[in-house]
Amino acid sequence: METLKTLKEVFKLYPIEGEVCSYEIIPTGHINDTIKVDVKNAKGISSYVAQKINAYVFKEPVKVMANIKTVSDYLKEKGIKEECDIRQYINAKDGNNYIVDDGYYWRVCEYIPNSVSYDTVESIDILKNAGYAFGRFQAMLADVPMDKLYDTIPNFHNTRVRLDNLFESYEKNEAGRAALVEKEMEFFRENRKLCSRLVELLEEGVLPLRVTHNDTKYNNILMDKTTGKPLCVIDLDTIMPGLTMYDFGDAIRFAANTAVEDEVDLSKVSLNMDYFKAFTEGFLDAAGASLTDAEYENLALGAFIITSEIGSRFLADYLDGDKYFKIHRPDHNLERARCQIKLAQDMLGKLDQMNQIVMSFKK
Ligand code: GN1
Ligand code: MG
């Protein structure tokens, strides 16, 4: 756990006047450590968000921060400004958008007052707004030169490779848990081919690469507490060339689930079609005009595929001994995986309906 002393050291490396006086851990997010930090100076107290980058997950944090800088600089140069901003990091005294303390990489940004992030849907309108914000995010970044972006986690959304990794973890059985996941593995055996569909279509040149967010969880948008309007898209660690279907689908996976991502009562887990419709409407309103027919045809399938992919990653981490995702209880990764499998199965049964909704909003 971070101490006040560490935070003081981190903040000393920034051109921020005053002393760190208190902090509060923000527990959302499975990867990085996020902390709200208050700094006191003669003018009063200002709040910031400091994040310690997970060194196990991000082997090359400098490249992660370089991608974020590339995107921010691009938007600034082109004068592109949206109502919903993207996370802006403060430059440290040495000019970098991160600092290194004791071998760990940290970054700091201003805390946005009156902002909130939701793990579950509070209102259909807010969800539609979120769809719009993620759609705009993609539209805004459409012309960022892709060759300037590093692949910070290779094969991040290569579902075929992700499933191969799962089967390897199963064979290796590092944590001795393979016998406990027979039923779950059966799902991945049955759907292995279908899960590779987007990757195949990309390889065949049917689907275009775009600059995407790659982690479009509902709680990665800060909303205005009062108006429900999106203020800022956060968690830019995985901005990379990717597929629209993954951004669309990942948001559906998280927000249009009738339960939370790690629900243990699987009878509560399904795809809420009203939520699906609201998010789709918002997303396509913002990004729909630039999508190709092939992308439209694969959005719904993308939701199934990414749900399966994230399920496979939770399960692989369970088999490996919980090294990647933060867990809050012993079988957390298994519970998360089961929930994703249940949701993916429900999506399979609703694919036609989902496709009809997508097409009803086609631009
Ligand atoms: C992680 O950092 P966070 O919690 O927003 C993960 C995503 C997964 C997600 C599942 C870098 O996202 O890929 O979809 O958990 N991020 C990384 O909830 O692996
Ligand atoms: Mg993240």
Side-chain angles (χ1 to χ4, degrees), residues 43-174:
K43 289 184 212 134
I45 291 182
S46 314
S47 299
Y48 298 87
V49 176
Q51 247 186 344
K52 182 171 151 189
I53 302 178
N54 183 319
Y56 179 80
V57 169
F58 296 107
K59 309 282 186 221
E60 297 183 287
V62 173
K63 290 188 178 171
V64 170
M65 296 313 289
N67 279 359
I68 296 177
K69 184 169 158 35
T70 298
V71 165
S72 307
D73 288 354
Y74 169 87
L75 295 178
K76 243 177 254 155
E77 270 163 36
K78 299 276 170 190
I80 303 174
K81 186 121 187 68
E82 288 288 325
E83 232 174 279
C84 178
D85 200 358
I86 69 166
R87 175 68 97 200
Q88 306 290 342
Y89 290 102
I90 300 173
N91 283 338
K93 287 178 183 165
D94 65 4
N96 291 324
N97 59 352
Y98 60 86
I99 64 97
V100 189
D101 176 75
D102 205 12
Y104 285 100
Y105 287 73
W106 287 78
R107 58 201 176 189
V108 171
C109 59
E110 281 173 22
Y111 178 81
I112 303 177
N114 205 38
S115 63
V116 62
S117 72
Y118 296 109
D119 285 330
T120 50
V121 173
E122 299 283 303
S123 97
I124 290 255
D125 283 340
I126 300 184
L127 180 61
K128 203 194 286 180
N129 291 341
Y132 191 85
F134 278 134
R136 277 308 301 162
F137 180 88
Q138 186 180 296
M140 252 193 307
L141 302 185
D143 294 324
V144 173
M146 274 189 215
D147 55 357
K148 290 218 173 113
L149 294 174
Y150 296 106
D151 224 1
T152 48
I153 302 184
N155 291 317
F156 190 62
H157 284 320
N158 183 329
T159 312
R160 183 167 55 208
V161 170
R162 290 295 190 178
L163 263 57
D164 290 349
N165 292 345
L166 168 66
F167 284 94
E168 260 171 48
S169 294
Y170 176 74
E171 289 307 323
K172 248 186 169 175
N173 194 13
E174 213 179 318

Side-chain angles (χ1 to χ4, degrees), residues 28-32 57-58 153 156-157 214-215 217 219-220 235 237-238 250 253-254 261 310 313-314 324-325:
T28 27
H30 300 336
I31 308 290
N32 299 315
V57 169
F58 296 107
I153 302 184
F156 190 62
H157 284 320
N214 293 307
D215 187 7
K217 293 205 292 199
N219 60 15
N220 278 333
D235 201 349
D237 294 332
T238 47
D250 204 9
R253 170 190 81 77
F254 194 83
E261 190 187 48
I310 306 294
R313 292 176 57 200
F314 289 142
Y324 189 101
F325 296 104

Side-chain angles (χ1 to χ4, degrees), residues 184 187-188 336-346:
E184 289 72 26
F187 169 83
F188 290 107
R336 287 169 175 154
R338 285 183 173 148
C339 177
Q340 300 310 297
I341 291 171
K342 173 72 201 297
L343 179 61
Q345 284 165 331
D346 191 55

